[in-house]
Amino acid sequence: MNLGQLLPFLLIAVLIIPMVLMSRKQKRAMQQQQELQNSISVGDKVMTTSGLYARVAGTDDEATVDLEIAEGVITTWLRAAVREKVSEDVHEEEYVADEDDAVVDEIVAQDADAEAVKEEKAEEKVEANAAAETPKKR
């Protein structure tokens, strides 16, 4: 066989081999995702595809899972919406009202002070412009 006869077969091989390899990679990823979704059990901490952290509250249905997003707040999601299981320490933050409110109050006070300084500078500019615009006697 000469090179002209082998060229079409080589072109086909160059196009088909990467497609086959990519499809195998996709199948593996889908299989891992399916295994994860089937292994979800009550009490697991999970993250959804939209980035919501929650604890699994119920897994009675094959297609859906009940997620507790806050204490006493349970929502129903498709199992396919669960992206991954997460460790317990990822999203354990407590809201401390006193400290947070104190920080907010301090920021508001700083903003008020900054606003007062801006107003004073604006008044000074107006006065300076008015003084510069008055005609001088010769």
Side-chain angles (χ1 to χ4, degrees):
M1 288 184 106
N2 63 15
L3 187 59
Q5 292 174 336
L6 287 177
L7 189 59
F9 295 113
L10 291 174
L11 288 174
I12 291 172
V14 166
L15 294 175
I16 290 179
I17 290 174
M19 289 178 18
V20 169
L21 293 176
M22 284 190 295
S23 69
R24 290 182 67 203
K25 184 178 178 182
Q26 277 184 324
K27 283 181 185 177
R28 253 184 283 143
M30 285 176 40
Q31 183 180 12
Q32 288 175 343
Q33 189 68 19
Q34 189 69 33
E35 287 173 3
L36 166 77
Q37 290 168 358
N38 291 334
S39 72
I40 294 171
S41 61
V42 175
D44 288 343
K45 187 96 173 176
V46 296
M47 183 177 75
T48 64
T49 54
S50 60
L52 177 76
Y53 289 93
R55 188 171 305 281
V56 177
T59 59
D60 298 334
D61 191 6
E62 287 184 20
T64 62
V65 62
D66 294 332
L67 300 179
E68 184 177 21
I69 58 176
E71 192 170 327
V73 180
I74 297 176
T75 58
T76 303
W77 292 68
L78 288 174
R79 281 187 184 259
V82 176
R83 176 183 292 163
E84 62 185 86
K85 286 184 183 180
V86 294
S87 63
E88 292 296 319
D89 61 344
V90 169
H91 197 269
E92 296 295 326
E93 297 177 8
E94 292 293 324
Y95 177 72
V96 181
D98 294 335
E99 291 177 15
D100 289 344
D101 290 343
V103 169
V104 169
D105 291 342
E106 183 179 335
I107 291 171
V108 169
Q110 289 174 353
D111 286 346
D113 291 342
E115 190 65 34
V117 169
K118 286 180 184 177
E119 288 176 10
E120 287 176 17
K121 287 185 178 181
E123 288 175 10
E124 289 174 2
K125 279 186 177 181
V126 168
E127 291 173 3
N129 287 340
E133 290 177 2
T134 56
K136 296 181 182 178
K137 294 183 181 178
R138 294 186 190 194

Short mmCIF file of all heavy atoms in Angstrom, two decimals, residues 48-116:
data_model
loop_
_atom_site.label_atom_id
_atom_site.label_comp_id
_atom_site.label_asym_id
_atom_site.label_seq_id
_atom_site.Cartn_x
_atom_site.Cartn_y
_atom_site.Cartn_z
N THR A 48 -24.79 21.46 47.31
CA THR A 48 -25.54 21.31 46.07
C THR A 48 -24.79 21.96 44.92
O THR A 48 -23.80 22.67 45.13
CB THR A 48 -26.94 21.94 46.19
OG1 THR A 48 -26.78 23.35 46.38
CG2 THR A 48 -27.72 21.34 47.34
N THR A 49 -25.29 21.75 43.72
CA THR A 49 -24.64 22.35 42.55
C THR A 49 -24.75 23.87 42.56
O THR A 49 -23.96 24.54 41.91
CB THR A 49 -25.29 21.82 41.25
OG1 THR A 49 -26.69 22.04 41.31
CG2 THR A 49 -24.99 20.34 41.07
N SER A 50 -25.70 24.42 43.32
CA SER A 50 -25.83 25.87 43.41
C SER A 50 -25.01 26.44 44.56
O SER A 50 -25.04 27.64 44.81
CB SER A 50 -27.30 26.26 43.58
OG SER A 50 -27.82 25.68 44.75
N GLY A 51 -24.29 25.59 45.30
CA GLY A 51 -23.40 26.07 46.35
C GLY A 51 -24.04 26.12 47.72
O GLY A 51 -23.48 26.69 48.64
N LEU A 52 -25.20 25.52 47.91
CA LEU A 52 -25.89 25.51 49.19
C LEU A 52 -25.36 24.38 50.05
O LEU A 52 -25.32 23.23 49.62
CB LEU A 52 -27.40 25.33 48.96
CG LEU A 52 -28.24 25.23 50.23
CD1 LEU A 52 -28.40 26.62 50.84
CD2 LEU A 52 -29.59 24.65 49.91
N TYR A 53 -24.92 24.71 51.27
CA TYR A 53 -24.48 23.69 52.21
C TYR A 53 -25.68 23.26 53.05
O TYR A 53 -26.45 24.10 53.52
CB TYR A 53 -23.39 24.24 53.14
CG TYR A 53 -22.08 24.46 52.45
CD1 TYR A 53 -21.76 25.69 51.89
CD2 TYR A 53 -21.15 23.43 52.35
CE1 TYR A 53 -20.56 25.89 51.26
CE2 TYR A 53 -19.94 23.62 51.72
CZ TYR A 53 -19.65 24.86 51.17
OH TYR A 53 -18.45 25.06 50.55
N ALA A 54 -25.84 21.96 53.25
CA ALA A 54 -26.99 21.46 54.01
C ALA A 54 -26.66 20.10 54.60
O ALA A 54 -25.67 19.47 54.23
CB ALA A 54 -28.22 21.36 53.11
N ARG A 55 -27.52 19.66 55.52
CA ARG A 55 -27.39 18.34 56.11
C ARG A 55 -28.55 17.49 55.58
O ARG A 55 -29.67 17.96 55.49
CB ARG A 55 -27.46 18.44 57.63
CG ARG A 55 -27.14 17.16 58.33
CD ARG A 55 -26.99 17.35 59.83
NE ARG A 55 -26.02 18.35 60.21
CZ ARG A 55 -24.70 18.19 60.23
NH1 ARG A 55 -24.18 17.04 59.87
NH2 ARG A 55 -23.90 19.15 60.61
N VAL A 56 -28.26 16.24 55.23
CA VAL A 56 -29.28 15.35 54.68
C VAL A 56 -30.23 14.96 55.81
O VAL A 56 -29.81 14.44 56.85
CB VAL A 56 -28.64 14.10 54.05
CG1 VAL A 56 -29.71 13.15 53.54
CG2 VAL A 56 -27.71 14.50 52.92
N ALA A 57 -31.53 15.22 55.58
CA ALA A 57 -32.55 14.92 56.58
C ALA A 57 -33.36 13.68 56.22
O ALA A 57 -33.93 13.04 57.09
CB ALA A 57 -33.49 16.11 56.75
N GLY A 58 -33.42 13.35 54.94
CA GLY A 58 -34.18 12.18 54.53
C GLY A 58 -33.79 11.72 53.14
O GLY A 58 -33.47 12.52 52.28
N THR A 59 -33.82 10.39 52.96
CA THR A 59 -33.45 9.82 51.65
C THR A 59 -34.45 8.74 51.25
O THR A 59 -34.08 7.73 50.67
CB THR A 59 -32.03 9.21 51.71
OG1 THR A 59 -32.02 8.19 52.72
CG2 THR A 59 -30.98 10.24 52.00
N ASP A 60 -35.72 8.96 51.56
CA ASP A 60 -36.75 7.95 51.30
C ASP A 60 -37.00 7.70 49.82
O ASP A 60 -37.22 6.59 49.39
CB ASP A 60 -38.06 8.35 51.98
CG ASP A 60 -37.90 8.43 53.49
OD1 ASP A 60 -37.00 7.75 54.03
OD2 ASP A 60 -38.66 9.19 54.13
N ASP A 61 -36.97 8.75 49.02
CA ASP A 61 -37.27 8.65 47.60
C ASP A 61 -35.99 8.41 46.80
O ASP A 61 -34.92 8.88 47.17
CB ASP A 61 -37.93 9.95 47.13
CG ASP A 61 -38.52 9.86 45.75
OD1 ASP A 61 -38.53 8.75 45.17
OD2 ASP A 61 -38.96 10.89 45.22
N GLU A 62 -36.09 7.67 45.71
CA GLU A 62 -34.91 7.42 44.87
C GLU A 62 -34.49 8.64 44.08
O GLU A 62 -33.32 8.81 43.77
CB GLU A 62 -35.18 6.27 43.90
CG GLU A 62 -35.21 4.92 44.56
CD GLU A 62 -35.38 3.80 43.55
OE1 GLU A 62 -35.11 4.02 42.35
OE2 GLU A 62 -35.77 2.70 43.96
N ALA A 63 -35.44 9.50 43.73
CA ALA A 63 -35.13 10.65 42.88
C ALA A 63 -34.84 11.92 43.66
O ALA A 63 -34.20 12.83 43.14
CB ALA A 63 -36.29 10.91 41.92
N THR A 64 -35.32 12.00 44.91
CA THR A 64 -35.14 13.23 45.67
C THR A 64 -34.46 12.96 47.00
O THR A 64 -34.36 11.81 47.45
CB THR A 64 -36.50 13.92 45.94
OG1 THR A 64 -37.31 13.05 46.73
CG2 THR A 64 -37.19 14.29 44.65
N VAL A 65 -34.02 14.04 47.64
CA VAL A 65 -33.41 13.97 48.95
C VAL A 65 -33.87 15.19 49.74
O VAL A 65 -34.02 16.28 49.17
CB VAL A 65 -31.86 13.89 48.84
CG1 VAL A 65 -31.29 15.13 48.19
CG2 VAL A 65 -31.21 13.65 50.17
N ASP A 66 -34.16 15.01 51.03
CA ASP A 66 -34.56 16.12 51.88
C ASP A 66 -33.33 16.70 52.55
O ASP A 66 -32.55 15.97 53.18
CB ASP A 66 -35.56 15.65 52.94
CG ASP A 66 -36.88 15.20 52.34
OD1 ASP A 66 -37.24 15.72 51.27
OD2 ASP A 66 -37.54 14.34 52.95
N LEU A 67 -33.14 18.02 52.40
CA LEU A 67 -31.98 18.69 52.97
C LEU A 67 -32.43 19.70 54.02
O LEU A 67 -33.35 20.48 53.80
CB LEU A 67 -31.19 19.42 51.88
CG LEU A 67 -30.62 18.56 50.75
CD1 LEU A 67 -29.88 19.43 49.75
CD2 LEU A 67 -29.70 17.49 51.31
N GLU A 68 -31.75 19.68 55.15
CA GLU A 68 -32.02 20.65 56.21
C GLU A 68 -31.02 21.79 56.04
O GLU A 68 -29.82 21.63 56.28
CB GLU A 68 -31.86 20.00 57.59
CG GLU A 68 -32.21 20.94 58.71
CD GLU A 68 -32.13 20.27 60.07
OE1 GLU A 68 -31.44 19.24 60.20
OE2 GLU A 68 -32.75 20.80 61.00
N ILE A 69 -31.53 22.94 55.59
CA ILE A 69 -30.64 24.07 55.29
C ILE A 69 -30.45 24.98 56.49
O ILE A 69 -29.49 25.74 56.55
CB ILE A 69 -31.16 24.88 54.08
CG1 ILE A 69 -32.57 25.38 54.31
CG2 ILE A 69 -31.10 24.03 52.83
CD1 ILE A 69 -33.10 26.26 53.20
N ALA A 70 -31.36 24.92 57.45
CA ALA A 70 -31.24 25.62 58.72
C ALA A 70 -32.01 24.78 59.73
O ALA A 70 -32.78 23.89 59.36
CB ALA A 70 -31.82 27.02 58.62
N GLU A 71 -31.83 25.07 61.00
CA GLU A 71 -32.49 24.27 62.01
C GLU A 71 -34.00 24.33 61.84
O GLU A 71 -34.60 25.41 61.90
CB GLU A 71 -32.10 24.76 63.40
CG GLU A 71 -32.50 23.81 64.48
CD GLU A 71 -31.91 24.18 65.82
OE1 GLU A 71 -30.79 24.72 65.83
OE2 GLU A 71 -32.57 23.95 66.82
N GLY A 72 -34.60 23.20 61.54
CA GLY A 72 -36.04 23.12 61.36
C GLY A 72 -36.53 23.45 59.96
O GLY A 72 -37.71 23.39 59.69
N VAL A 73 -35.64 23.82 59.04
CA VAL A 73 -36.03 24.17 57.67
C VAL A 73 -35.56 23.06 56.74
O VAL A 73 -34.37 22.92 56.47
CB VAL A 73 -35.42 25.53 57.23
CG1 VAL A 73 -35.85 25.86 55.82
CG2 VAL A 73 -35.81 26.62 58.20
N ILE A 74 -36.52 22.27 56.26
CA ILE A 74 -36.19 21.12 55.41
C ILE A 74 -36.77 21.36 54.03
O ILE A 74 -37.95 21.69 53.88
CB ILE A 74 -36.73 19.82 56.02
CG1 ILE A 74 -36.05 19.58 57.38
CG2 ILE A 74 -36.50 18.65 55.08
CD1 ILE A 74 -36.56 18.39 58.13
N THR A 75 -35.94 21.21 53.01
CA THR A 75 -36.36 21.38 51.63
C THR A 75 -36.10 20.09 50.86
O THR A 75 -35.24 19.30 51.24
CB THR A 75 -35.62 22.54 50.95
OG1 THR A 75 -34.21 22.28 51.01
CG2 THR A 75 -35.91 23.86 51.64
N THR A 76 -36.82 19.90 49.77
CA THR A 76 -36.66 18.70 48.95
C THR A 76 -35.94 19.05 47.66
O THR A 76 -36.32 20.00 46.98
CB THR A 76 -38.03 18.08 48.63
OG1 THR A 76 -38.70 17.80 49.86
CG2 THR A 76 -37.88 16.81 47.83
N TRP A 77 -34.88 18.31 47.35
CA TRP A 77 -34.05 18.55 46.17
C TRP A 77 -33.94 17.26 45.37
O TRP A 77 -34.06 16.16 45.91
CB TRP A 77 -32.64 18.97 46.60
CG TRP A 77 -32.57 20.30 47.25
CD1 TRP A 77 -33.08 20.66 48.47
CD2 TRP A 77 -31.95 21.46 46.74
NE1 TRP A 77 -32.80 21.96 48.73
CE2 TRP A 77 -32.11 22.49 47.70
CE3 TRP A 77 -31.28 21.74 45.57
CZ2 TRP A 77 -31.62 23.77 47.50
CZ3 TRP A 77 -30.77 23.03 45.39
CH2 TRP A 77 -30.95 24.02 46.34
N LEU A 78 -33.66 17.41 44.09
CA LEU A 78 -33.31 16.24 43.28
C LEU A 78 -31.95 15.72 43.74
O LEU A 78 -31.06 16.50 44.08
CB LEU A 78 -33.23 16.61 41.80
CG LEU A 78 -34.54 16.89 41.10
CD1 LEU A 78 -34.27 17.39 39.68
CD2 LEU A 78 -35.40 15.65 41.06
N ARG A 79 -31.78 14.42 43.72
CA ARG A 79 -30.47 13.87 44.09
C ARG A 79 -29.37 14.37 43.15
O ARG A 79 -28.24 14.54 43.55
CB ARG A 79 -30.50 12.34 44.05
CG ARG A 79 -31.13 11.73 45.25
CD ARG A 79 -30.97 10.21 45.20
NE ARG A 79 -31.65 9.61 46.32
CZ ARG A 79 -31.02 9.20 47.41
NH1 ARG A 79 -29.74 9.32 47.52
NH2 ARG A 79 -31.71 8.66 48.39
N ALA A 80 -29.73 14.61 41.90
CA ALA A 80 -28.74 15.09 40.93
C ALA A 80 -28.20 16.46 41.29
O ALA A 80 -27.16 16.87 40.80
CB ALA A 80 -29.36 15.12 39.53
N ALA A 81 -28.90 17.19 42.15
CA ALA A 81 -28.44 18.52 42.55
C ALA A 81 -27.34 18.46 43.61
O ALA A 81 -26.70 19.48 43.88
CB ALA A 81 -29.61 19.35 43.09
N VAL A 82 -27.09 17.30 44.18
CA VAL A 82 -26.03 17.16 45.18
C VAL A 82 -24.71 17.00 44.45
O VAL A 82 -24.51 16.06 43.69
CB VAL A 82 -26.29 15.96 46.11
CG1 VAL A 82 -25.13 15.77 47.07
CG2 VAL A 82 -27.59 16.16 46.86
N ARG A 83 -23.80 17.95 44.67
CA ARG A 83 -22.51 17.93 44.00
C ARG A 83 -21.49 17.09 44.74
O ARG A 83 -20.76 16.31 44.16
CB ARG A 83 -21.96 19.36 43.85
CG ARG A 83 -20.56 19.38 43.23
CD ARG A 83 -19.99 20.75 43.14
NE ARG A 83 -20.76 21.50 42.15
CZ ARG A 83 -20.74 22.82 42.05
NH1 ARG A 83 -20.02 23.53 42.87
NH2 ARG A 83 -21.43 23.42 41.13
N GLU A 84 -21.40 17.27 46.08
CA GLU A 84 -20.37 16.56 46.82
C GLU A 84 -20.70 16.50 48.30
O GLU A 84 -21.49 17.30 48.80
CB GLU A 84 -19.01 17.24 46.63
CG GLU A 84 -18.97 18.67 47.15
CD GLU A 84 -17.67 19.37 46.85
OE1 GLU A 84 -17.54 19.93 45.76
OE2 GLU A 84 -16.81 19.35 47.75
N LYS A 85 -20.10 15.54 48.97
CA LYS A 85 -20.14 15.50 50.43
C LYS A 85 -19.02 16.40 50.93
O LYS A 85 -17.94 16.45 50.32
CB LYS A 85 -19.91 14.08 50.94
CG LYS A 85 -21.06 13.15 50.74
CD LYS A 85 -20.75 11.81 51.37
CE LYS A 85 -21.85 10.81 51.13
NZ LYS A 85 -21.54 9.51 51.75
N VAL A 86 -19.27 17.09 52.01
CA VAL A 86 -18.25 17.97 52.56
C VAL A 86 -17.96 17.55 54.00
O VAL A 86 -18.78 16.92 54.66
CB VAL A 86 -18.67 19.45 52.51
CG1 VAL A 86 -18.79 19.94 51.09
CG2 VAL A 86 -19.97 19.68 53.24
N SER A 87 -16.79 17.95 54.48
CA SER A 87 -16.43 17.62 55.85
C SER A 87 -17.23 18.50 56.81
O SER A 87 -17.76 19.54 56.44
CB SER A 87 -14.92 17.80 56.06
OG SER A 87 -14.57 19.15 55.86
N GLU A 88 -17.28 18.12 58.04
CA GLU A 88 -18.12 18.80 59.03
C GLU A 88 -17.67 20.22 59.33
O GLU A 88 -18.47 21.07 59.65
CB GLU A 88 -18.13 18.00 60.34
CG GLU A 88 -18.84 16.67 60.22
CD GLU A 88 -20.32 16.83 59.92
OE1 GLU A 88 -20.95 17.72 60.51
OE2 GLU A 88 -20.83 16.08 59.09
N ASP A 89 -16.37 20.53 59.24
CA ASP A 89 -15.88 21.84 59.66
C ASP A 89 -15.95 22.90 58.57
O ASP A 89 -15.59 24.05 58.81
CB ASP A 89 -14.45 21.72 60.17
CG ASP A 89 -13.50 21.22 59.09
OD1 ASP A 89 -13.99 20.67 58.09
OD2 ASP A 89 -12.28 21.35 59.26
N VAL A 90 -16.42 22.58 57.38
CA VAL A 90 -16.42 23.54 56.28
C VAL A 90 -17.39 24.68 56.51
O VAL A 90 -17.08 25.83 56.27
CB VAL A 90 -16.76 22.83 54.94
CG1 VAL A 90 -17.02 23.82 53.83
CG2 VAL A 90 -15.65 21.90 54.56
N HIS A 91 -18.58 24.38 57.02
CA HIS A 91 -19.62 25.41 57.08
C HIS A 91 -20.19 25.54 58.49
O HIS A 91 -21.38 25.77 58.66
CB HIS A 91 -20.72 25.09 56.08
CG HIS A 91 -21.59 26.25 55.77
ND1 HIS A 91 -22.72 26.53 56.47
CD2 HIS A 91 -21.49 27.24 54.86
CE1 HIS A 91 -23.29 27.62 56.01
NE2 HIS A 91 -22.57 28.06 55.03
N GLU A 92 -19.40 25.39 59.52
CA GLU A 92 -19.88 25.50 60.89
C GLU A 92 -19.52 26.88 61.43
O GLU A 92 -18.54 27.07 62.11
CB GLU A 92 -19.25 24.41 61.77
CG GLU A 92 -19.63 23.01 61.37
CD GLU A 92 -21.11 22.74 61.55
OE1 GLU A 92 -21.71 23.28 62.49
OE2 GLU A 92 -21.67 22.00 60.72
N GLU A 93 -20.34 27.88 61.11
CA GLU A 93 -20.13 29.23 61.60
C GLU A 93 -21.30 29.61 62.49
O GLU A 93 -22.44 29.35 62.16
CB GLU A 93 -20.04 30.23 60.44
CG GLU A 93 -18.87 29.98 59.53
CD GLU A 93 -18.86 30.94 58.36
OE1 GLU A 93 -19.68 31.87 58.35
OE2 GLU A 93 -18.04 30.73 57.47
N GLU A 94 -21.01 30.22 63.61
CA GLU A 94 -22.06 30.68 64.52
C GLU A 94 -22.17 32.19 64.38
O GLU A 94 -21.18 32.90 64.28
CB GLU A 94 -21.71 30.33 65.96
CG GLU A 94 -21.73 28.85 66.25
CD GLU A 94 -23.13 28.27 66.17
OE1 GLU A 94 -24.09 28.97 66.55
OE2 GLU A 94 -23.26 27.12 65.70
N TYR A 95 -23.40 32.67 64.38
CA TYR A 95 -23.65 34.11 64.30
C TYR A 95 -23.59 34.68 65.70
O TYR A 95 -24.34 34.26 66.59
CB TYR A 95 -25.01 34.39 63.67
CG TYR A 95 -25.35 35.85 63.64
CD1 TYR A 95 -24.71 36.70 62.76
CD2 TYR A 95 -26.31 36.37 64.49
CE1 TYR A 95 -25.00 38.04 62.72
CE2 TYR A 95 -26.62 37.71 64.46
CZ TYR A 95 -25.96 38.54 63.57
OH TYR A 95 -26.27 39.87 63.53
N VAL A 96 -22.71 35.62 65.93
CA VAL A 96 -22.58 36.29 67.22
C VAL A 96 -23.09 37.70 67.03
O VAL A 96 -22.40 38.56 66.48
CB VAL A 96 -21.11 36.27 67.71
CG1 VAL A 96 -21.01 36.96 69.06
CG2 VAL A 96 -20.61 34.85 67.77
N ALA A 97 -24.29 37.95 67.48
CA ALA A 97 -24.97 39.22 67.21
C ALA A 97 -24.24 40.39 67.84
O ALA A 97 -24.09 41.44 67.22
CB ALA A 97 -26.40 39.16 67.71
N ASP A 98 -23.79 40.25 69.08
CA ASP A 98 -23.17 41.38 69.77
C ASP A 98 -21.92 41.86 69.05
O ASP A 98 -21.75 43.05 68.81
CB ASP A 98 -22.84 41.01 71.21
CG ASP A 98 -24.10 40.74 72.02
OD1 ASP A 98 -25.16 41.29 71.64
OD2 ASP A 98 -24.03 40.00 73.01
N GLU A 99 -21.02 40.94 68.69
CA GLU A 99 -19.78 41.32 68.03
C GLU A 99 -20.06 41.90 66.64
O GLU A 99 -19.50 42.92 66.27
CB GLU A 99 -18.85 40.13 67.92
CG GLU A 99 -18.30 39.67 69.25
CD GLU A 99 -17.43 38.44 69.11
OE1 GLU A 99 -17.03 38.10 67.98
OE2 GLU A 99 -17.16 37.79 70.14
N ASP A 100 -20.93 41.24 65.88
CA ASP A 100 -21.22 41.71 64.53
C ASP A 100 -21.91 43.07 64.56
O ASP A 100 -21.60 43.95 63.75
CB ASP A 100 -22.10 40.70 63.79
CG ASP A 100 -21.35 39.43 63.42
OD1 ASP A 100 -20.11 39.46 63.47
OD2 ASP A 100 -22.00 38.43 63.10
N ASP A 101 -22.85 43.26 65.49
CA ASP A 101 -23.55 44.54 65.58
C ASP A 101 -22.59 45.65 65.99
O ASP A 101 -22.69 46.78 65.52
CB ASP A 101 -24.71 44.45 66.56
CG ASP A 101 -25.85 43.59 66.02
OD1 ASP A 101 -25.85 43.35 64.78
OD2 ASP A 101 -26.70 43.17 66.80
N ALA A 102 -21.63 45.35 66.87
CA ALA A 102 -20.66 46.36 67.29
C ALA A 102 -19.80 46.78 66.10
O ALA A 102 -19.50 47.97 65.93
CB ALA A 102 -19.78 45.81 68.41
N VAL A 103 -19.41 45.84 65.27
CA VAL A 103 -18.60 46.15 64.09
C VAL A 103 -19.40 47.02 63.12
O VAL A 103 -18.90 48.01 62.59
CB VAL A 103 -18.11 44.85 63.40
CG1 VAL A 103 -17.51 45.15 62.05
CG2 VAL A 103 -17.12 44.12 64.29
N VAL A 104 -20.66 46.67 62.92
CA VAL A 104 -21.52 47.44 62.02
C VAL A 104 -21.70 48.86 62.55
O VAL A 104 -21.62 49.84 61.80
CB VAL A 104 -22.89 46.74 61.82
CG1 VAL A 104 -23.87 47.66 61.13
CG2 VAL A 104 -22.72 45.46 61.05
N ASP A 105 -21.93 49.00 63.86
CA ASP A 105 -22.09 50.33 64.46
C ASP A 105 -20.83 51.17 64.28
O ASP A 105 -20.90 52.36 63.99
CB ASP A 105 -22.43 50.21 65.95
CG ASP A 105 -23.82 49.64 66.18
OD1 ASP A 105 -24.63 49.67 65.22
OD2 ASP A 105 -24.09 49.18 67.30
N GLU A 106 -19.66 50.54 64.43
CA GLU A 106 -18.39 51.27 64.26
C GLU A 106 -18.23 51.74 62.82
O GLU A 106 -17.83 52.88 62.57
CB GLU A 106 -17.22 50.37 64.65
CG GLU A 106 -15.88 51.06 64.57
CD GLU A 106 -14.75 50.15 65.00
OE1 GLU A 106 -14.99 49.20 65.76
OE2 GLU A 106 -13.62 50.40 64.54
N ILE A 107 -18.58 50.90 61.87
CA ILE A 107 -18.47 51.27 60.45
C ILE A 107 -19.43 52.42 60.13
O ILE A 107 -19.06 53.36 59.43
CB ILE A 107 -18.75 50.05 59.55
CG1 ILE A 107 -17.61 49.04 59.69
CG2 ILE A 107 -18.92 50.47 58.10
CD1 ILE A 107 -17.88 47.71 59.02
N VAL A 108 -20.65 52.35 60.66
CA VAL A 108 -21.62 53.43 60.43
C VAL A 108 -21.11 54.74 61.00
O VAL A 108 -21.22 55.79 60.37
CB VAL A 108 -22.99 53.05 61.02
CG1 VAL A 108 -23.93 54.24 61.04
CG2 VAL A 108 -23.60 51.90 60.24
N ALA A 109 -20.51 54.68 62.20
CA ALA A 109 -19.97 55.90 62.82
C ALA A 109 -18.83 56.47 61.98
O ALA A 109 -18.73 57.68 61.78
CB ALA A 109 -19.49 55.59 64.24
N GLN A 110 -17.96 55.60 61.47
CA GLN A 110 -16.86 56.06 60.63
C GLN A 110 -17.38 56.69 59.35
O GLN A 110 -16.86 57.71 58.89
CB GLN A 110 -15.91 54.90 60.29
CG GLN A 110 -15.10 54.42 61.47
CD GLN A 110 -14.30 53.18 61.15
OE1 GLN A 110 -14.43 52.60 60.07
NE2 GLN A 110 -13.45 52.76 62.07
N ASP A 111 -18.42 56.09 58.78
CA ASP A 111 -19.02 56.65 57.56
C ASP A 111 -19.63 58.02 57.84
O ASP A 111 -19.52 58.94 57.02
CB ASP A 111 -20.09 55.72 56.99
CG ASP A 111 -19.50 54.50 56.32
OD1 ASP A 111 -18.27 54.51 56.05
OD2 ASP A 111 -20.24 53.55 56.05
N ALA A 112 -20.25 58.19 59.00
CA ALA A 112 -20.85 59.48 59.35
C ALA A 112 -19.76 60.54 59.51
O ALA A 112 -19.91 61.68 59.06
CB ALA A 112 -21.68 59.35 60.64
N ASP A 113 -18.65 60.16 60.16
CA ASP A 113 -17.53 61.09 60.31
C ASP A 113 -16.96 61.47 58.95
O ASP A 113 -16.66 62.63 58.70
CB ASP A 113 -16.43 60.47 61.19
CG ASP A 113 -16.85 60.32 62.64
OD1 ASP A 113 -17.84 60.98 63.04
OD2 ASP A 113 -16.21 59.53 63.36
N ALA A 114 -16.81 60.49 58.08
CA ALA A 114 -16.27 60.75 56.75
C ALA A 114 -17.20 61.67 55.97
O ALA A 114 -16.75 62.57 55.24
CB ALA A 114 -16.05 59.44 55.99
N GLU A 115 -18.50 61.47 56.12
CA GLU A 115 -19.48 62.31 55.42
C GLU A 115 -19.39 63.75 55.92
O GLU A 115 -19.46 64.70 55.13
CB GLU A 115 -20.89 61.75 55.62
CG GLU A 115 -21.93 62.39 54.76
CD GLU A 115 -21.71 62.12 53.27
OE1 GLU A 115 -21.23 61.04 52.90
OE2 GLU A 115 -22.03 63.02 52.47
N ALA A 116 -19.20 63.93 57.22
CA ALA A 116 -19.08 65.29 57.79
C ALA A 116 -17.83 65.98 57.25
O ALA A 116 -17.86 67.18 56.91
CB ALA A 116 -19.04 65.22 59.31
#
